[in-house]
Amino acid sequence: KQFHLYKHFHTFSVAHYEPHHSHIPQKPANLPNSLDFYPGRSSMLRMEEYHHSTLADDLMILTYRDPEAEQKFIDKRKKKYLPLRKSVLTMDTNPYAKNRPRPKPRGNKNVGPVPPRQSHRTAPELVKIVVHCMMKQSLLSKQHLLSGIMALQCITSERPTIVYSRTDVSRWKLRKGMPIGCKVHIQGPPMYTFLDKLTEIVLPRLREWQGVSISSGDQNGNITMGFPPSALSLFPDIESNYDMFPMMTGFHVVFHTTAYTDYEGRALLSGFQIPFTPGKKINRTF
């Protein structure tokens, strides 16, 4: 009887004295006294502010194209290259091609995206930076990847992802699905922080490095540059804790920009004090 009375009293107390959160009004997230309020960024980084205040105006002048050259460039990007069949060229003249299966079509030239009309909104700027490294020691043991993952996380402040092989290579004892390296994508403030450390600390201290090739690029404004293992130890995040990284590895840095030509991409990176080696003259527009 006492047990039933205690159970009834406990049920009554929980049902009648427990607060009902559904009746408490929720404050909108745009109010400063709300728990979900996010004030946003209050300032820009040095490299980001330099791009918006100084570099963007200079790039508009350096990458300017007259209307006639701009129309030619747009027409060239709109042109479609039809595939050319080898069988059509050799079927009538080559006797060995008779009664043989037709080869696969060839051609299909990759055409870049069609750029919009140039204006103050189309000035090239950085979108993201991809840092990746490949470690052949990981074929023997997966534990060797830990040093590369820790190093990339220290210099970029972002957590890397593991890269797995897509094909089998018997000569390297590589099988499909094996971990071979790691990579990290950085955007926003971490991207400009990494760029600041790269241009102000690492590049001036590199020895026997001539700079980025003047012909580098993927024809769409994206630039790639590689560094030896000695460059990884020059970052201040790793230099202060050098003993924590038993293995140094080389790495590649890919700059993804909004430019539509390699000339615009190189002009953007040159504004960030990234050196390019002098070489053959590169066509400015195409």
Side-chain angles (χ1 to χ4, degrees), residues 20-28 31 34-35:
H20 296 277
H21 298 282
S22 59
H23 297 285
I24 300 177
Q26 298 291 335
K27 297 179 181 179
L31 294 179
S34 175
L35 296 178

Side-chain angles (χ1 to χ4, degrees), residues 3-283:
F3 175 75
H4 289 292
L5 289 175
Y6 174 77
K7 184 178 180 182
H8 176 72
F9 175 76
H10 180 70
T11 307
F12 176 79
S13 62
V14 171
H16 292 274
Y17 292 97
E18 186 177 3
H20 296 277
H21 298 282
S22 59
H23 297 285
I24 300 177
Q26 298 291 335
K27 297 179 181 179
N30 56 355
L31 294 179
N33 56 352
S34 175
L35 296 178
D36 299 330
F37 177 72
Y38 178 69
R41 297 176 59 188
S42 59
S43 62
M44 291 190 298
L45 297 175
R46 185 182 67 89
M47 300 291 283
E48 185 178 6
E49 184 179 3
Y50 165 71
H51 176 269
H52 288 287
S53 61
T54 306
L55 185 57
D57 298 338
D58 297 340
L59 290 175
M60 289 181 59
I61 300 175
L62 293 174
T63 60
Y64 173 76
R65 293 188 298 267
D66 58 281
E68 184 178 356
E70 183 182 13
Q71 186 61 39
K72 289 182 180 180
F73 179 55
I74 294 177
D75 295 341
K76 185 177 180 180
R77 287 293 177 92
K78 289 182 178 180
K79 183 179 179 181
K80 295 182 180 181
Y81 296 87
L82 300 178
L84 181 63
R85 291 185 175 275
K86 185 177 180 181
S87 59
V88 177
L89 301 177
T90 60
M91 187 63 69
D92 299 334
T93 59
N94 189 3
Y96 296 99
K98 188 177 181 180
N99 298 328
R100 290 180 177 269
R102 292 186 176 184
K104 296 182 180 180
R106 61 179 184 177
N108 292 337
K109 183 178 179 181
N110 294 328
V111 182
V114 180
R117 293 291 180 178
Q118 56 185 357
S119 64
H120 66 283
R121 301 180 183 274
T122 59
E125 60 180 353
L126 277 177
V127 177
K128 67 177 179 178
I129 296 178
V130 181
V131 186
H132 67 90
C133 64
M134 300 298 173
M135 306 182 67
K136 63 180 181 181
Q137 295 85 358
S138 62
L139 300 178
L140 303 177
S141 177
K142 297 179 181 179
Q143 297 179 356
H144 294 294
L145 282 175
L146 183 60
S147 180
I149 293 174
M150 292 172 56
L152 292 190
Q153 186 171 357
C154 284
I155 65 177
T156 60
S157 302
E158 297 289 342
R159 179 170 295 181
T161 57
I162 300 177
V163 179
Y164 297 92
S165 61
R166 298 181 180 179
T167 57
D168 300 336
V169 182
S170 59
R171 181 176 58 184
W172 297 341
K173 299 181 180 180
L174 178 65
R175 295 184 178 181
K176 184 178 179 179
M178 294 182 62
I180 56 177
C182 55
K183 65 178 180 179
V184 59
H185 299 255
I186 47 179
Q187 298 177 347
M191 176 184 65
Y192 287 102
T193 303
F194 173 78
L195 182 62
D196 193 4
K197 291 186 292 185
L198 182 66
T199 56
E200 298 293 337
I201 301 176
V202 178
L203 294 184
R205 299 173 61 186
L206 276 179
R207 296 181 179 180
E208 298 180 359
W209 188 71
Q210 304 298 329
V212 189
S213 176
I214 194 64
S215 60
S216 61
D218 62 346
Q219 308 300 324
N220 291 324
N222 303 322
I223 310 296
T224 305
M225 52 193 306
F227 293 95
S230 59
L232 191 61
S233 60
L234 298 179
F235 283 89
D237 309 297
I238 296 181
E239 190 176 11
S240 58
N241 302 313
Y242 185 79
D243 297 336
M244 296 178 57
F245 305 93
M247 187 180 302
M248 292 294 167
T249 179
F251 61 97
H252 286 80
V253 181
V254 184
F255 297 94
H256 292 266
T257 66
T258 58
Y260 289 90
T261 59
D262 292 340
Y263 174 82
E264 297 177 354
R266 288 190 294 266
L268 174 63
L269 296 184
S270 297
F272 288 122
Q273 304 300 321
I274 294 181
F276 287 87
T277 56
K280 62 179 182 179
K281 184 177 179 181
I282 304 298
N283 197 335

